[in-house]
């Protein structure tokens, strides 16, 4: 046997078989919820000019510093495979003049590949795929609630037990005030902090709150809460969102250390956390980004959105042992012999033209073998063509439930089978 020469890149996956069924189940569920909510689908290029991501996501973030797949094209332009979906959508919104559309502009994207050079492990890949929503042009808390509820509804529809972890990081001014308070607090513990956190203290102390390092968790837990530094307006907005979530019945938990790993957020930030124990990372997350569109050169436009990782949703569904049913086969075409296979090939195409689902496998050289495949596929009918049937132009249509069969011309068969 020859040795396999090629492997997929580390941290990337082939998706096939039952995995594809689950994938489609997740994506179609999400798309149907987005359509019901009146959102329009958008696709953006898989890569953008590098500067878009470094400016939007933030120079001091892990994503921009360590995780981007960046390369020069043949003209020497620096391009980056998208490490998240929001920046590209914002760029497209500005570039295509969507600001002249009736507001808010509600967009969604589904199954978009996203690339981050992370250490691969379960639920953490170098290529993952996101479902996302971005609603631009509405600053009301009602939109925050709409976005959070849509993500929660998807999880509920997929039977994934989860809660929403939620926080407010206030306005830019609130955050800057809080950062000063945090600096003063963490400086007291500077000698206890690992090098990475000492660096974060210089560049962006909020990142220290993200730590999972058990050695400093106590210090981090003792840090002042951002909720005590919110302006009156941000505080009121946060309260309003929480009240609506409560009234509607979304299971949420306040987490004053939730700051998210991207720099563009203000006010509401949230993540969906699994309650099943199947995966350890967040299932999705998002928040408000009122400053990003103007920062990217567009008009001042408030916005809010979310992104969810399909792979992480799939881990939850796999852990439940759930398998979506594959589509039923309407008719299975069975043929033995040269002329019969030719006739069957044409018949199969005509049946497909009618919109029927059609199975066949002419590599199996016995009728009983092919019929057993038909029953494995749960086919309602078998269309059987042997040499005799091929010559006479009358094929056998067998009802696989009752076992009854009749010899008919293809025209009569299509009349019986065609969907009403
Ligand atoms: P994010 O939290 O960085 O947010 O990613 C969103 C989701 O993508 C995560 O919650 C997770 O489900 C999935 N994800 C992230 N990294 C990986 C990975 N390495 N492997 C597998 N899944 C992963 C964003 O990207 C924002 N753009 C979300 C957003 C949209 N905020 C506002 N609008």
């Amino acid at each position: 046997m020859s040795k396999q020469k090629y492997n997929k890149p580390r941290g990337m996956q082939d998706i096939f078989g039952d995995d594809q069924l689950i994938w489609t189940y997740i994506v179609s569920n999400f798309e149907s919820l987005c359509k019901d909510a009146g959102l329009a689908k958008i696709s953006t290029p898989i890569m953008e000019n590098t500067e878009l991501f470094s400016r939007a996501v933030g120079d001091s973030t892990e994503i921009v510093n360590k995780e981007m797949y960046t390369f020069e094209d043949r003209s020497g332009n620096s391009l980056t495979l998208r490490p998240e979906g929001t920046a590209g959508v914002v760029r497209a919104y500005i570039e295509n003049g969507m600001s002249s559309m009736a507001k808010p502009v509600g967009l969604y994207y589904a199954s978009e590949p996203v690339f981050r050079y992370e250490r691969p492990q379960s639920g953490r890949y170098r290529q993952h795929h996101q479902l996302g929503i971005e609603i631009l042009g509405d600053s009301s808390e009602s939109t925050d609630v709409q976005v959070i509820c849509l993500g929660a509804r998807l999880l509920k529809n997929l039977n994934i037990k989860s809660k929403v972890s939620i926080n407010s990081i206030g306005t830019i001014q609130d955050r800057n005030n809080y950062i000063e308070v945090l600096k003063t607090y963490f400086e007291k513990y500077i000698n206890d902090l690992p090098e990475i956190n000492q660096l974060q203290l210089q560049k962006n102390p909020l990142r220290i709150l993200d730590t999972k390092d058990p050695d400093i968790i106590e210090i981090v837990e003792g840090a002042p809460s951002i909720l005590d530094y919110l302006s009156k307006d941000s505080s009121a907005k946060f309260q309003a969102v929480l009240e609506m979530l409560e009234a509607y019945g979304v299971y949420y938990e306040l987490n004053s250390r939730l700051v998210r790993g991207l720099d563009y957020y203000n006010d509401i930030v949230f993540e969906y956390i699994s309650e099943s124990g199947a995966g350890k990372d967040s299932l999705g997350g998002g928040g408000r980004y009122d400053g990003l569109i103007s920062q990217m050169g567009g008009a001042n436009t408030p916005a809010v959105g979310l992104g969810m990782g399909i792979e992480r949703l799939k881990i939850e569904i796999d852990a439940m042992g759930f398998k979506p049913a594959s589509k039923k086969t309407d008719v299975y075409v069975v043929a033995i012999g040269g002329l019969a296979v030719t006739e069957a090939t044409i018949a199969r195409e005509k049946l497909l033209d009618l919109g029927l689902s059609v199975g066949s496998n002419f590599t199996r050289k016995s009728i009983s073998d092919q019929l057993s495949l038909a029953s494995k596929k749960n086919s309602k009918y078998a269309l059987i063509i042997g040499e005799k049937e091929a010559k006479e132009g009358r094929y056998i249509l067998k009802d696989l439930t009752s076992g009854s069969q009749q010899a008919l011309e293809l025209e009569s068969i299509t009349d019986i089978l065609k969907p009403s």
Side-chain angles (χ1 to χ4, degrees):
M1 226 169 64
S2 67
K3 240 177 127 193
Q4 170 151 10
K5 292 197 189 87
Y6 304 109
N7 298 102
K8 57 190 181 300
R10 212 164 112 70
M12 304 196 182
Q13 302 188 92
D14 301 312
I15 302 143
F16 58 95
D18 280 350
D19 288 347
Q20 270 298 347
L21 286 183
I22 296 177
W23 199 275
T24 308
Y25 166 70
I26 295 170
V27 176
S28 56
N29 234 299
F30 174 72
E31 290 213 50
S32 132
L33 293 182
C34 289
K35 285 178 200 154
D36 287 350
L39 307 178
K41 190 169 184 175
I42 184 167
S43 301
T44 60
I46 204 165
M47 61 185 84
E48 299 273 356
N49 289 310
T50 301
E51 202 194 331
L52 177 80
F53 296 120
S54 46
R55 286 211 59 206
V57 178
D59 278 331
S60 66
T61 59
E62 292 264 298
I63 293 180
V64 170
N65 275 322
K66 298 193 188 142
E67 296 174 359
M68 295 211 300
Y69 279 87
T70 297
F71 59 95
E72 273 191 7
D73 70 7
R74 287 171 191 273
S75 317
N77 303 314
S78 179
L79 295 173
T80 293
L81 292 179
R82 106 179 112 218
E84 62 95 51
T86 310
V89 170
V90 165
R91 196 256 324 123
Y93 174 87
I94 300 169
E95 190 172 346
N96 296 296
M98 288 187 226
S99 60
S100 64
M101 290 163 65
K103 290 201 187 60
V105 177
L107 303 169
Y108 78 90
Y109 42 94
S111 200
E112 296 285 6
V114 172
F115 299 85
R116 295 182 186 175
Y117 191 81
E118 297 195 75
R119 203 158 61 81
Q121 50 195 288
S122 167
R124 198 164 286 258
Y125 306 101
R126 289 185 175 169
Q127 177 180 339
H128 72 275
H129 299 78
Q130 283 195 18
L131 307 169
I133 301 171
E134 314 291 353
I135 301 185
L136 303 99
D138 186 353
S139 62
S140 76
E141 297 84 56
S142 161
T143 321
D144 303 57
V145 171
Q146 181 185 355
V147 170
I148 296 169
C149 288
L150 201 152
R153 184 171 302 116
L154 175 67
L155 293 166
K156 195 167 156 213
N157 282 3
L158 300 176
N159 284 316
I160 298 174
K161 290 204 170 29
S162 65
K163 66 180 172 202
V164 178
S165 175
I166 189 166
N167 193 20
S168 172
I169 55 171
T171 60
I172 293 177
Q173 185 58 49
D174 298 343
R175 208 157 59 248
N176 288 343
N177 294 343
Y178 177 62
I179 286 172
E180 288 312 310
V181 175
L182 267 192
K183 270 189 184 156
T184 313
Y185 172 79
F186 282 122
E187 264 155 16
K188 285 194 293 190
Y189 299 97
I190 188 89
N191 296 328
D192 302 316
L193 295 180
E195 204 183 315
I196 174 158
N197 303 115
Q198 292 187 11
L199 272 174
Q200 286 171 331
L201 187 54
Q202 300 309 316
K203 283 184 148 183
N204 189 350
L206 285 177
R207 293 274 88 79
I208 307 179
L209 299 177
D210 267 343
T211 190
K212 303 217 164 43
D213 182 345
D215 292 340
I216 62 159
I217 204 84
E218 235 176 80
I219 299 177
V220 173
E221 276 174 358
S225 160
I226 193 160
L227 296 177
D228 296 327
Y229 296 86
L230 294 185
S231 57
K232 240 174 129 187
D233 195 34
S234 284
S235 211
K237 279 186 181 166
F238 191 35
Q239 272 317 312
V241 169
L242 296 182
E243 276 164 27
M244 281 188 263
L245 291 179
E246 210 155 302
Y248 167 63
V250 169
Y251 174 32
Y252 74 81
E253 195 172 82
L254 268 182
N255 175 3
S256 63
R257 291 201 349 250
L258 180 70
V259 287
R260 309 262 304 129
L262 305 104
D263 276 355
Y264 47 62
Y265 293 115
N266 64 279
D267 286 305
I268 310 298
V269 287
F270 58 90
E271 287 186 351
Y272 300 94
I273 311 291
S274 164
E275 294 265 280
S276 73
K280 55 186 175 9
D281 300 296
S282 69
L283 301 167
R288 207 160 245 296
Y289 49 96
D290 293 338
L292 184 60
I293 293 132
S294 57
Q295 189 198 330
M296 296 285 102
N300 219 343
T301 311
V304 57
L306 68 76
M308 302 180 95
I310 299 181
E311 288 79 357
R312 295 201 185 159
L313 302 179
K314 200 180 148 297
I315 287 174
E316 298 291 324
I317 292 172
D318 286 343
M320 290 179 232
F322 173 73
K323 283 201 182 20
S326 52
K327 194 174 178 254
K328 264 194 150 190
T329 306
D330 294 315
V331 54
Y332 203 91
V333 181
V334 171
I336 300 291
L339 180 61
V341 169
T342 303
E343 295 286 305
T345 302
I346 296 158
R348 182 180 60 196
E349 296 310 313
K350 290 188 173 168
L351 294 169
L352 285 167
D353 280 345
L354 296 177
L356 296 166
S357 66
V358 184
S360 66
N361 186 341
F362 305 137
T363 65
R364 300 293 173 96
K365 296 299 176 209
S366 86
I367 292 211
S368 63
D369 236 16
Q370 291 185 30
L371 281 173
S372 75
L373 288 179
S375 65
K376 260 196 202 144
K377 293 271 180 197
N378 273 327
S379 187
K380 283 181 233 151
Y381 290 96
L383 178 68
I384 304 167
I385 311 178
E387 282 302 296
K388 175 173 169 281
E389 286 78 22
K391 274 189 204 135
E392 290 173 2
R394 286 165 74 82
Y395 312 149
I396 297 168
L397 181 67
K398 181 171 182 172
D399 182 323
L400 292 173
T401 319
S402 67
S404 66
Q405 60 181 56
Q406 49 189 328
L408 297 166
E409 284 172 2
L410 185 60
E411 217 168 77
S412 316
I413 290 173
T414 56
D415 277 347
I416 295 172
L417 296 183
K418 77 172 169 237
S420 44

